[in-house]
Amino acid sequence: MPAAALLAGLLTLLPPAWGDKADRNQPLSFAADTARVDELKQLNILSGNVEITKGSIVIRADRVEVRQSPEGYQHAVATGWPTKRAYFRQKRDGSDEYLEGEAEKLEYDGRSDTVRLLNQAVMRRFRGNTLADEVSGSTISYDNTTEVFQVVGGPASAAAPGRVRGVLTPREAPASAPATRP
């Protein structure tokens, strides 16, 4: 039963609105050096070279903690290594786009459906294998419901000196139908 509780807690770690809807129906796989399940506190801890995959989603971190509220909402925190940031990647639904991010700490809140990248935060959007957009700062927040990003600078910013930076590539306009005359 503890393994089932651990898997149930980890299932909501992954942000649904970013990714391919097919990810929701995929099995979750993980590997780590150790796993600890505290059913009384509703706390699951994976540590040591953690890798989580679920469909197109990949998360890598040194440690991942998943807590579950009495209402069933999960809050997950993934922390990086002393010299390497935590990482995620997920395919966007209906396109050949991928989002990936890195930060010292990643937080996912199932109740508010938000993801935060904290300290040395970088987020990238790839179109196929081509880097299209990149933003960096101290904190990057993404609201899955509204699809709104917020980037904040500060002393822990990935952009020097404590500012936010970004490169946004224009999207190609879809081909329009030929105009018809009355």
Side-chain angles (χ1 to χ4, degrees):
M1 184 66 176
L6 177 64
L7 286 174
L10 288 172
L11 284 173
T12 59
L13 170 98
L14 310 166
W18 277 358
D20 195 338
K21 290 179 181 166
D23 288 340
R24 296 179 193 154
N25 300 321
Q26 298 298 315
L28 182 139
S29 299
F30 68 89
D33 293 341
T34 62
R36 181 172 184 260
V37 177
D38 186 332
E39 291 189 26
L40 183 62
K41 294 181 181 177
Q42 292 294 295
L43 173 65
N44 304 303
I45 300 172
L46 296 172
S47 59
N49 297 311
V50 179
E51 181 166 321
I52 298 171
T53 59
K54 181 175 173 64
S56 72
I57 299 164
V58 176
I59 295 176
R60 294 184 190 110
D62 186 42
R63 178 182 169 100
V64 178
E65 292 186 17
V66 180
R67 292 187 181 272
Q68 183 168 316
S69 72
E71 299 85 24
Y73 294 105
Q74 283 81 26
H75 183 267
V77 177
T79 53
W81 297 262
T83 58
K84 187 176 171 184
R85 295 175 287 196
Y87 168 87
F88 78 85
R89 178 176 169 102
Q90 184 174 19
K91 184 179 185 309
R92 293 192 53 142
D93 191 35
S95 72
D96 190 25
E97 290 186 349
Y98 291 83
L99 287 178
E100 73 175 35
E102 295 179 78
E104 291 177 4
K105 185 189 306 186
L106 307 171
E107 294 181 351
Y108 173 70
D109 186 335
R111 180 184 301 267
S112 63
D113 202 13
T114 57
V115 177
R116 290 179 19 140
L117 290 77
L118 302 161
N119 299 331
Q120 300 293 317
V122 177
M123 182 171 284
R124 298 173 193 92
R125 180 189 328 259
F126 288 86
R127 292 187 190 124
N129 292 324
T130 304
L131 177 61
D133 304 323
E134 180 175 54
V135 293
S136 60
S138 178
T139 301
I140 300 173
S141 299
Y142 183 71
D143 185 320
N144 287 322
T145 306
T146 62
E147 297 187 14
V148 173
F149 286 91
Q150 180 175 349
V151 184
V152 178
S157 181
R163 298 177 47 97
V164 300
R165 300 249 186 244
V167 176
L168 304 174
T169 305
R171 293 186 179 271
E172 292 182 24
S176 59
T180 58
R181 294 189 166 190

